[in-house]
Amino acid sequence: MLVLLPIFEADMHPRSYAYRPGKNAHQAMSDIVEAVSRGNFEIIDADLSAYFDSIPHERLMALVARRVSDGSMLALIRSWLKAPIEEQESKTGKRRRWRNRCGTPQGGVISPLLANLYLNELDWAVNERCELKPTMVRYADDFVILCRKGQGAGLLERLKKWLQARELKLNEEKTRLVDIRTEGIKFLGFSVSWRKRKRHWWAYTHVEPHPKSQQKLRDKLKERLNHWTQHEDEAQVIGGVNRLLKGWKGYFGYGNPSHAFGKLQYYVNNKVRQWLWRRHGCRGGKHAHYSNARMKGEYRLFQLT
């Protein structure tokens, strides 16, 4: 990975953002916001069917061989790709083993690079060589194509043919063609929609944490703040909550998250207050005894807002 990454990085399109040095999800979202602001309101919200498990080995190795001529390196990559897969059934304990005929091993150090490499040609074809001048933003196997009104259906058909020629296919149920002005999309855990400003005539691209992402945070907080953890060390439990909140805010602190953050902060305060109240066996005055100011000051509860 350390040897090959700089070699293939020179060929990667700048609108590919996953598993690359200096690239992140916020940059991908900025590209989407910029494309919508230029009038690309029609969006192909694409979803590939089992992409990592579907990449054909021979086609992938041909792409690798364009840049790598060392036989031992090629043999090593091929051996990783063809390594047999073994699974153990949880109920019976029996092991199943079979040959890996296609796909990159998930969890393998080299797999993200190889997965980016196989779709890199699509990045260049859509962004640079398409006469309609659409914008494609990709994060691993998750990507969107933004174009002018009326161009989406044709681009979607061309996308299907391109993928079919490379032994890949779209998930028809999850792939959508939408107009961002009437229907939002979910991308990288963010909700992207078109909104009009109050008391103003202009509109803007609104980006905030998607409701499903917010619910996942609530579910994780429920796992850490319940009657099963009331016997654990107070500082450790709240410290774990703080690490969760800090990481969540670092990722979703892009665009227009203030309203979502405010609602979640209200939920966090109540959840921690309830946990402390039950832990100490209090009988009344829950909000007065464990005020927001006390939890922020004495207990050092991390603040999303």
Side-chain angles (χ1 to χ4, degrees):
M1 178 67 175
L2 294 174
V3 171
L4 293 179
L5 180 61
I7 297 173
F8 291 114
E9 183 65 23
D11 296 330
M12 294 293 178
H13 194 276
R15 289 203 177 106
S16 170
Y17 290 98
Y19 314 121
R20 297 181 59 193
K23 299 283 187 177
N24 57 52
H26 290 183
Q27 295 170 341
M29 299 308 300
S30 294
D31 261 358
I32 292 175
V33 171
E34 182 183 352
V36 173
S37 68
R38 296 198 306 266
N40 292 323
F41 296 123
E42 212 161 77
I43 300 178
I44 300 172
D45 185 7
D47 185 88
L48 295 179
S49 295
Y51 171 63
F52 284 88
D53 296 329
S54 306
I55 301 174
H57 291 167
E58 295 307 318
R59 289 180 178 272
L60 177 59
M61 289 305 302
L63 293 175
V64 175
R66 290 182 183 179
R67 276 288 197 173
V68 179
S69 59
D70 184 86
S72 60
M73 179 67 79
L74 293 173
L76 179 60
I77 296 174
R78 187 181 295 275
S79 68
W80 279 333
L81 293 175
K82 294 188 176 295
I85 300 172
E86 185 175 286
E87 286 185 352
Q88 183 176 358
E89 296 182 4
S90 58
K91 294 183 179 180
T92 63
K94 292 183 178 180
R95 293 181 178 271
R96 296 190 304 122
R97 184 176 178 141
W98 64 93
R99 294 179 61 186
N100 186 22
R101 301 182 182 275
C102 65
T104 59
Q106 295 199 36
V109 176
I110 199 70
S111 295
L113 175 61
L114 297 178
N116 267 340
L117 176 62
Y118 199 69
L119 285 180
N120 184 52
E121 188 178 335
L122 178 63
D123 297 332
W124 286 98
V126 175
N127 285 301
E128 308 300 336
R129 294 192 287 272
C130 182
E131 67 281 359
L132 299 178
K133 302 298 182 183
T135 296
M136 174 176 166
V137 180
R138 183 171 66 84
Y139 197 93
D141 60 335
D142 196 2
F143 64 90
V144 292
I145 299 176
L146 302 97
C147 58
R148 300 283 180 176
K149 184 178 180 180
Q151 298 177 348
L155 284 172
L156 182 57
E157 288 303 314
R158 292 169 66 174
L159 174 63
K160 291 179 181 178
K161 292 178 181 178
W162 190 96
L163 294 171
Q164 186 177 7
R166 288 151 184 84
E167 302 179 47
L168 302 173
K169 63 179 180 179
L170 287 172
N171 186 328
E172 299 287 350
E173 295 182 356
K174 295 184 178 181
T175 298
R176 302 183 305 146
L177 175 60
V178 303
D179 189 319
I180 194 67
R181 293 171 295 184
T182 58
E183 185 179 0
I185 63 169
K186 177 178 181 286
F187 189 67
L188 303 183
F190 291 91
S191 175
V192 185
S193 59
W194 183 254
R195 296 189 183 184
K196 292 184 178 180
R197 293 187 181 275
K198 295 180 180 179
R199 297 188 292 248
H200 294 86
W201 60 270
W202 69 85
Y204 70 103
T205 308
H206 185 89
V207 180
E208 67 176 9
H210 193 271
K212 289 185 178 180
S213 302
Q214 298 180 42
Q215 186 58 46
K216 286 181 180 179
L217 177 62
R218 295 189 188 98
D219 292 340
K220 290 182 179 178
L221 288 169
K222 289 178 183 177
E223 293 176 3
R224 302 189 182 206
L225 299 169
N226 53 51
H227 65 280
W228 298 106
T229 61
Q230 286 177 9
H231 67 281
E232 297 181 11
D233 182 73
E234 206 168 79
Q236 290 185 357
V237 172
I238 295 181
V241 170
N242 285 343
R243 288 190 293 273
L244 174 63
L245 295 176
K246 187 175 182 179
W248 203 87
K249 182 178 181 179
Y251 181 82
F252 287 104
Y254 173 88
N256 319 92
S258 57
H259 180 66
F261 280 6
K263 292 191 301 180
L264 288 168
Q265 187 65 60
Y266 180 80
Y267 178 85
V268 170
N269 289 345
N270 284 336
K271 200 69 181 174
V272 174
R273 180 182 292 113
Q274 180 75 7
W275 186 83
L276 290 169
W277 186 70
R278 287 183 174 177
R279 172 183 169 82
H280 294 287
C282 300
R283 294 185 178 274
K286 179 167 55 176
H287 287 267
H289 193 65
Y290 295 108
S291 64
N292 292 344
R294 185 183 179 190
M295 289 191 295
K296 179 181 177 181
E298 180 179 340
Y299 292 99
R300 299 185 179 277
L301 180 63
F302 184 82
Q303 302 295 298
L304 289 171
T305 54

